[in-house]
Amino acid sequence: MERSRLALVLAILISFQGAILVRSDASDHRYKEGDPVPLYANKVGPFHNPSETYRYFDLPFCVTGHEREKTEALGEVLNGDRLVSAPYELNFRTEKDSKVVCRRKLTKEQVAQFREAVKKDYYFQMYYDDLPIWGFIGTVDKEGKTDPSEYKYFLYKHIQFDILYNKDRVVEISARMDPHSVVDLTEDKDVDVEFMYTAKWKETDTPFEKRMEKYSQSSSLPHHLEIHWFSIINSCVTVLLLTGFLATILMRVLKNDFMKYAQDEEAADDQEETGWKYIHGDVFRFPKHKSLFAAALGSGTQLFALTIFIFMLALVGVFYPYNRGALFTALVVIYALTSGIAGYTATSFYIQLEGSNWVRNLLLTGCLFCGPLFLMFCFLNTVAIVYSATAALPFGTILVIVLIWTLVTSPLLVLGGIAGKNSKSEFQAPVRTTKYPREIPPLPWYRSTLPQMAMAGFLPFSAIYIELYYIFASVWGHRIYTIYSILFIVFIILLIVTAFITVALTYFQLAAEDHEWWWRSFLCGGSTGLFIYGYCLYYYYARSDMSGFMQTSFFFGYMACICYGFFLMLGSVGFRASLLFVRHIYRSIKCE
């Protein structure tokens, strides 16, 4: 039964990964001279607000009446892509010079709409044979003018496409706006516009297989890469040296503790115990709110598994530049398929903690991460609907996600929970727990939870903050991130440092005869997530030009969910490391 279930899950995973790996429909087309090549207009939006994008034809561009919408995959819709056939005809190897698309009279309202778009630095994005094209829709003349009311606003009306081909395939395309062919939008009056385009074709030796390399070069130019590697190595060496010093000190202190306790045992059995040995009867006393603790551990373990799978796909090259929506598809599918891990981990640990209501624990596990994420999605989707932005998900897409959650996530969570309940493994404690808990002695303020979390989060955060800038510039900007190998190295260092710093703080807590280390180790491990959210505030105000209610709410809303996910994942890593450490030190001494 278990084998057949495992085989089924593997088959689903392989089929979904196959779906993720499939490139879009146009990418392998060969053409003859004069053949139509698909050109889709995607979206327009303010350049500095990546989440605030609108449909191309929300602006009064030329409409031919033959526009048709492209059917999109789940990931593309989640990414905010809304592809519709563009009014330009770029047939294979067919040159066109100043071809008129349409002549139209813009009303005062349409002029005001275009002017507002030019003022906000609107750009457009299209796809030609699955190659992305960008361009600005207009320009602002600020030369010699200090007062914004004196600025002049111009709309580009002539676009030139430069297309490179290799034999019967399209290899590269770029769009240039003609700065001499513009329409003045400064005044509120009706304007006659003649929209035109030019197509120039040129042969190239670049093979079709390498046509996407152009888009990843910006993040791997020699000087960029050199600075990137140098900063990462510098950060990692500093952090690892600090970790090494701390490890050496901790090992020496532990060695002295072991020798001292061994001598105490030989010298006098009735001598009073001190330090962490003194609380051996309480150290494995189960934590308060054990159902919530087990659920947090299960959710964190699932998110850790999700991250590892995403890295595996990234390192084998699935997320190449402009593989529209591949990352979103992978996140949704892999999260659904790994929910069994959350169910198994949470329920088996809850049973180990002698919990009785495992069904409630399973429900809590299912809602702990998904619940806040769903509430945040409802709020942000409402904001996007009010703004009529492409980030607003259609009803059909929401239905698909609900079906995935109902038919895949929930059953796997329940199956994992049942397997965890039936595992019947007992909690492995090397020492017996006493009937009544010892009183914790009064401790200085810096040994309380919040200062300890601040100390625990700072070192792992310092290991990743350089890399965070590159990731933020990619997710919340227009940079392309392709160097997943560096990111994976940084992730491994983050795990090592988080585990170590949590172990060190757990030791100092036990040495101060404070035996309530379970929740503390989880909170200290996860505190890096709070530091990342603090970095969000810095990035928004100091490093980006994002503005407006929609972009601000999307940035802080979705980053809150991501940081909460980091909190759960790193918290479970910190607790696991502390549990191994505590078991090891109490196994190494003789306790009555």
Side-chain angles (χ1 to χ4, degrees), residues 262-283:
Q263 286 164 4
D264 287 353
E265 280 164 17
E266 288 168 18
D269 287 338
D270 59 345
Q271 193 172 340
E272 194 179 345
E273 294 171 340
T274 56
W276 53 266
K277 187 183 177 186
Y278 174 66
I279 54 166
H280 65 80
D282 295 280
V283 78

Side-chain angles (χ1 to χ4, degrees), residues 256-386:
N256 291 340
D257 282 356
F258 287 143
M259 286 170 68
K260 176 173 164 285
Y261 291 145
Q263 286 164 4
D264 287 353
E265 280 164 17
E266 288 168 18
D269 287 338
D270 59 345
Q271 193 172 340
E272 194 179 345
E273 294 171 340
T274 56
W276 53 266
K277 187 183 177 186
Y278 174 66
I279 54 166
H280 65 80
D282 295 280
V283 78
F284 292 105
R285 190 177 301 285
F286 298 145
K288 296 169 185 169
H289 315 296
K290 50 191 172 189
S291 183
L292 179 63
F293 188 82
L297 190 66
S299 297
T301 308
Q302 179 190 3
L303 292 169
F304 178 70
L306 169 71
T307 310
I308 294 297
F309 279 124
I310 291 292
F311 268 119
M312 283 165 63
L313 291 176
L315 292 170
V316 298
V318 172
F319 308 127
Y320 58 87
Y322 299 101
N323 183 5
R324 291 190 305 274
L327 179 60
F328 286 106
T329 309
L331 283 168
V332 170
V333 169
I334 296 171
Y335 183 82
L337 293 174
T338 51
S339 58
I341 294 171
Y344 179 82
T345 308
T347 310
S348 62
F349 197 75
Y350 181 65
I351 297 295
Q352 284 180 35
L353 298 181
E354 296 172 4
S356 54
N357 197 340
W358 67 274
V359 176
R360 192 180 68 180
N361 173 251
L362 203 56
L363 286 170
L364 186 60
T365 307
C367 298
L368 197 64
F369 182 70
C370 280
L373 184 65
F374 176 72
L375 292 173
M376 186 61 72
F377 162 74
C378 288
F379 168 68
L380 294 177
N381 207 51
T382 307
V383 171
I385 289 167
V386 170

Side-chain angles (χ1 to χ4, degrees), residues 41-44 54-62 82 84 86-88 124-126 137 390:
N42 186 14
K43 50 194 177 185
V44 291
Y54 304 95
R55 291 171 182 271
Y56 182 79
F57 289 111
D58 283 353
L59 288 176
F61 287 113
C62 285
R82 303 289 184 273
V84 62
Y88 309 104
F124 67 82
Q125 188 192 39
M126 297 183 182
I137 68 163
T390 60

Side-chain angles (χ1 to χ4, degrees), residues 139-159:
T139 182
V140 184
D141 179 18
K142 301 178 182 177
E143 202 171 328
K145 304 173 183 75
T146 50
D147 186 2
S149 63
E150 295 175 358
Y151 292 168
K152 285 189 169 293
Y153 301 94
F154 297 100
L155 173 71
Y156 293 125
K157 61 178 185 176
H158 188 179
I159 179 169

